Structures are given as structure tokens and as C-alpha cells.
Amino acid sequence: MDPQLITADQYLLIYNAFSFTFAAMAAATLFFWFGRSQVGPAYKTALTITGLVTAIAAYHYFRIFESWTQAYSVTDGVIAATGFAFNDAYRYVDWLLTVPLLLIELVLVMRLAQAETVSTSLKLGTAAALMIILGYPGEIADDNTTRAIWGTLSAIPFLYIVWALFKGLGSAIERQPESARGLIKQARLLTFASWGFYPIVYMIPYTSLAGGTVETGVQIGYTIADLVAKVGVGILVYLIAVRKSAAEYGEPGKPAAIAG
Amino acid sequence: MDPQLITADQYLLIYNAFSFTFAAMAAATLFFWFGRSQVGPAYKTALTITGLVTAIAAYHYFRIFESWTQAYSVTDGVIAATGFAFNDAYRYVDWLLTVPLLLIELVLVMRLAQAETVSTSLKLGTAAALMIILGYPGEIADDNTTRAIWGTLSAIPFLYIVWALFKGLGSAIERQPESARGLIKQARLLTFASWGFYPIVYMIPYTSLAGGTVETGVQIGYTIADLVAKVGVGILVYLIAVRKSAAEYGEPGKPAAIAG
């Protein structure tokens, strides 16, 4: 994509979206980690991981913001490319870490048997990493055919994950406490819906839009998807952990039962 | 607004106000979070959120300060615009996150039934976000007619919030412990009064003041409003959480009752 094609307004919109997302990810991280003291021992790791996902994303959005401001300069309202390329790879590096962890936080908050937790986390985590690795060569490709080939390959582990979430974990969800079951289904659906948004953004370059509009669509699209997948799903995981703690360890007003 | 019209004195006043506000927001954040260990379990989340509001504001005032120093240079008492535009959007990005959270901290400290907490937070949070989003196009508009149109649209969700705080939550406030009821009404009033201050600042460009005076009025006005709405209301929420904890979990001198 020719960086020259972006307008000053598009540059600023993306600039502010990156700063917003850094702040939101960092704030969410602290919220999840503070929440650790308010849930039962079995759910502390789920909130640790939930906060790690947003912490890793906060770090990458900080780097993305820095890289973005380095790539362009706006003087008296006129935009110019500085010659430093914007590093798109930060996103994939972020996803390689956070996407497997996102599935693991869902598995942990379900509190399955220990052996099932390990094997499910391993299978879903590996599939998620594979999905990201296969998508990247397409993202950096100059031609849309290469983009389509890697995008299709990346869809295979994605479909496996969808199958595992809806079919494989189905019976485990039915065994969850009633107060949390609806929320767990919502978390699963939001994970599916937000992940389904990434391929749509991935395909924006296939449209006949101008270069600057494509770049803006891709950056804003991935940013919204990241917010929903990480902060949105994270808040649901937090609520599930709180409700299951109340069901299994007693209400927070009775501290003896939640100590730890 | 022509950045050239600001004087060196006005530049320094705003510069120092931004630095002051960063320090105040960061200090308030630590105060609220330290307070978490001194309140009952039901009030920890309210203080987590109260601290998140000032933490997010601290981040944005740091960025605002950096952007301000980049926009002007003062050499031998003579001010010059550097050509880098001051990024006013940081305020709106901040409000988009903090204004819904401010209402949520008020709802949380009231400790309503779980379902009522979720539905009230969702309604008030959405209205608050809508209020900010509708105000922004007016803030960046060059002509005062466009500013007036978006400002008026933004007032609709604001009036809904005022109605919800004074009418919708009225009976819930009457059910609060007597020791905290007065403080909760004060917090509600301070929220209303400080939020009512923003539209006044928003309308400063309608006056016949010179450009530099308008810019100074807007920056100092929003800064004072932010301090009152975030730190001022936050201190009241902290006091409410402490008093309600004493009423519901016992006095802090009897630690067994508040542990957790």
C-alpha cells in the first residue's frame, strides 16, 4: 500500500484510535488483575491470563502508536511519509501470544477436570497459533491471490476452533452452574463473532477502495476487533469468575470462604 | 482557531495547568486503589473503577501535555507555532472511556441488586458514550452553527442521564444507609454540576473574545471540570464506600468483619 495516499484526517483518526486502544487495554488489565482478589482460588488464574492478554495488547498498541507517528509527519495540516515504514507485524506478533491465551482463559474459567483443561488448552492454543502463522504471509503479500491462498489456509484451524468451542465444549458448558451458563455461552459467541470480524477486515484490500481508505479500514477494523475480542470477552470472563465464585465459595460478604 | 493568537503567558498558564492535572490525577489514582483494602468486598470494584477513571485521565493529560509542548515553542519570551497541531481529540478519547465509567462507579457504590446494577450501568454507560460521540463533530467544526447542532444533539443523552440520576435512582438512594445517603446525594449533585460545566466551556467560542483567550478559556475550563468530575466525585465515592462498609461490615477497628 502506498503510504502517500493517506489523508491528514485519516492519519489522525488512526492515531487517536491507537492511543484510545492503548488506554483501554491498560485500564482493562488493571481491572482484571484487581479482580483476582475478589474471586475464588480456582478462578484466579483465569483472571491472571485475561489481564495478560490485555497487557500484551497494551504493549503492542503502544509500539503500534509509536511506529505510526514515526511513519508520517503532519505539518500545518499537510501529511508526508517520512520514509520509515509502519510496522504492521506488531499485530501478528501480538496475536501469536494473545489469541492462544484468549482460548485458554475461556477454558480456565470453565473449571474442567485438570487433565481436560490441559489437553483442551493445548489443542485450542496450538490451533490458534497455527491460524495466526498461516495468515501472516497473506497479510504482507503484495498480490491478492497470495493473500487469498494464505487466508484460506488460516481458515482451517479457525474452523477447527469453532467446532471445538461449539461441539467439543458443548457438554462441558451444560455442566456449569446455572447462574454462569448464559454468560459462558455469550463469551463463546462473542469470541466467535469478534474472530469472524478479522477475516472481513483481512479482505478489505479486495475492494475497489482507494489506498488510504483501505489502510484506514484495516487499521480501525482490526482495532475494534481487538477491543471486542480482548476487553469485551475479558469482562464476560470476569463476570463468569465472580458468579461461579459466589456459587461455589459463597457470597463475597463471607470472606472466610474466599480467602486465598 | 489560529494557534498564532495565543500569548506566551497564556501558553505557560495552560502548560502548568496540564502538568498540575497529570500530578493530581495520578495521585488520586493511587489514593483510590490503596483504599480498596479498607472497604468491604462489595465496594472494592467501585474503588477499582474510581481509580481507573483518574488513571485513564492521568494518561491523557500526560499525552495532552506532550502535544501542547510540541505545538508551540517559546524562545526569549516570544511564542511561535511549530506547525504541529495540538491534538484536541485526546479529551474526547478520554471522555469516551471515563464518562461511562464515572456513572458506573456511582451505580456500584450504591450496591443495588445484581440485575439492576448491570441494566443501570449498561443504560447510563451507553447514554454517556453517545453524549461524547455526538459532541465531538461540533468541537472540531470550524463554524459555530455546526457546533451548535452537534452540541444540541449531545444534550439529549445528557438530559436522559440527569433524569435517570435524579428520578430513576431516587428511590434506590432512599434505601441507602442513613450515614451515606447525604454523601450519595452530594456525589450525584457534583456529577450533575461538573458535567453541566462542560457545555458552558463548549460554548466559549460563541463569545466575542479573541482567539487566544478562547483557547485559554476552553483548555483551563475543561481541565477544571475534569478535576471536579473525576477527583472530586471520586473522593465522595471513596467516602461513601468507607461509610457503607462500616455500616454493613462493622467498623474498621474490628478487622475480622471486613477481611477479604
Side-chain angles (χ1 to χ4, degrees):
Chain A
M1 265 168 286
D2 186 348
Q4 307 269 11
L5 292 174
I6 206 164
T7 69
D9 282 345
Q10 287 170 336
Y11 167 81
L12 276 173
L13 175 68
I14 295 171
Y15 173 101
N16 286 307
F18 288 163
S19 175
F20 171 88
T21 307
F22 165 75
M25 293 290 183
T29 301
L30 292 166
F31 180 78
F32 298 138
W33 286 344
F34 276 128
R36 289 180 75 259
S37 69
Q38 289 155 272
V39 298
Y43 299 103
K44 288 188 192 298
T45 310
L47 289 188
T48 303
I49 303 274
T50 306
L52 279 181
V53 166
T54 47
I56 294 166
Y59 164 73
H60 284 114
Y61 270 93
F62 186 84
R63 288 277 190 214
I64 286 173
F65 178 87
E66 295 292 307
S67 177
W68 187 250
T69 55
Q70 253 199 342
Y72 301 96
S73 73
V74 179
T75 317
D76 296 326
V78 178
I79 189 166
T82 57
F84 292 102
F86 172 59
N87 182 27
D88 240 340
Y90 282 132
R91 292 198 180 280
Y92 278 78
V93 170
D94 177 82
W95 294 337
L96 193 55
L97 282 166
T98 56
V99 173
L101 290 176
L102 271 170
L103 292 173
I104 291 169
E105 78 186 45
L106 276 180
V107 171
L108 284 175
V109 86
M110 290 179 63
R111 198 184 183 183
L112 309 172
Q114 199 180 47
E116 204 182 348
T117 300
V118 174
S119 74
T120 313
S121 297
L122 213 64
K123 275 187 282 188
L124 287 178
T126 308
L130 206 63
M131 175 177 84
I132 303 304
I133 291 168
L134 290 171
Y136 186 61
E139 186 75 73
I140 55 166
D142 285 327
D143 65 299
N144 280 344
T145 313
T146 313
R147 196 176 180 91
I149 292 168
W150 290 104
T152 308
L153 288 175
S154 170
I156 300 169
F158 174 67
L159 291 176
Y160 166 74
I161 293 167
V162 173
W163 174 84
L165 284 179
F166 283 85
K167 186 81 185 170
L169 287 177
S171 63
I173 288 178
E174 293 312 320
R175 291 194 304 271
Q176 296 290 311
E178 210 193 318
S179 61
R181 208 178 298 152
L183 279 174
I184 291 178
K185 286 183 183 172
Q186 277 180 35
R188 179 175 67 172
L189 191 65
L190 196 61
T191 303
F192 169 67
S194 59
W195 290 23
F197 195 63
Y198 289 94
I200 296 171
V201 177
Y202 190 90
M203 286 185 285
I204 291 180
Y206 293 99
T207 62
S208 56
L209 295 168
T213 311
V214 167
E215 177 74 358
T216 308
V218 168
Q219 296 307 333
I220 301 291
Y222 280 148
T223 300
I224 293 172
D226 275 349
L227 284 167
V228 175
K230 294 176 166 98
V231 181
V233 171
I235 290 171
L236 289 177
V237 168
Y238 164 82
L239 290 173
I240 294 163
V242 168
R243 292 218 187 153
K244 288 185 73 183
S245 296
E248 293 162 15
Y249 298 90
E251 288 295 327
K254 299 160 192 159
I258 348 170
Chain B
M1 262 167 288
D2 185 346
Q4 307 270 10
L5 292 173
I6 205 165
T7 69
D9 282 346
Q10 287 170 335
Y11 167 80
L12 276 171
L13 176 66
I14 296 171
Y15 174 101
N16 286 307
F18 288 164
S19 176
F20 171 87
T21 306
F22 165 75
M25 294 289 183
T29 302
L30 293 168
F31 179 78
F32 298 137
W33 285 344
F34 278 128
R36 288 179 77 258
S37 68
Q38 291 156 273
V39 298
Y43 299 103
K44 289 188 192 298
T45 309
L47 289 187
T48 302
I49 304 271
T50 306
L52 279 181
V53 166
T54 47
I56 293 166
Y59 164 73
H60 284 114
Y61 271 93
F62 187 84
R63 288 275 190 212
I64 285 172
F65 178 87
E66 295 291 308
S67 179
W68 188 251
T69 54
Q70 252 199 341
Y72 301 96
S73 72
V74 180
T75 318
D76 297 326
V78 178
I79 188 165
T82 58
F84 291 103
F86 172 60
N87 183 27
D88 241 339
Y90 281 133
R91 293 199 179 280
Y92 279 78
V93 168
D94 176 81
W95 295 337
L96 193 55
L97 283 166
T98 55
V99 172
L101 291 176
L102 272 169
L103 292 173
I104 291 169
E105 78 186 46
L106 276 181
V107 172
L108 284 175
V109 85
M110 290 179 65
R111 197 184 184 183
L112 309 172
Q114 196 180 53
E116 204 182 347
T117 299
V118 173
S119 75
T120 312
S121 298
L122 215 62
K123 274 187 283 188
L124 288 178
T126 308
L130 206 64
M131 176 176 82
I132 302 304
I133 291 167
L134 290 172
Y136 186 61
E139 186 74 74
I140 55 167
D142 285 326
D143 65 299
N144 281 344
T145 313
T146 312
R147 195 177 180 90
I149 292 168
W150 289 104
T152 308
L153 287 175
S154 170
I156 300 169
F158 174 66
L159 292 175
Y160 167 74
I161 292 166
V162 172
W163 174 85
L165 284 179
F166 284 84
K167 186 82 185 167
L169 287 177
S171 64
I173 288 178
E174 294 310 321
R175 292 195 304 271
Q176 296 291 312
E178 211 193 316
S179 61
R181 210 178 296 150
L183 279 173
I184 291 178
K185 286 184 184 172
Q186 278 180 34
R188 179 176 66 170
L189 191 64
L190 196 61
T191 302
F192 169 67
S194 59
W195 290 23
F197 195 62
Y198 290 94
I200 297 172
V201 177
Y202 190 90
M203 287 185 284
I204 291 180
Y206 293 99
T207 63
S208 57
L209 295 167
T213 311
V214 166
E215 177 74 359
T216 308
V218 169
Q219 296 307 334
I220 301 291
Y222 280 149
T223 301
I224 293 171
D226 275 349
L227 283 167
V228 175
K230 293 176 166 97
V231 181
V233 172
I235 290 171
L236 289 176
V237 167
Y238 165 81
L239 290 173
I240 294 163
V242 168
R243 293 219 189 151
K244 289 185 73 181
S245 296
E248 293 162 16
Y249 297 90
E251 288 295 327
K254 299 160 193 161
I258 346 172

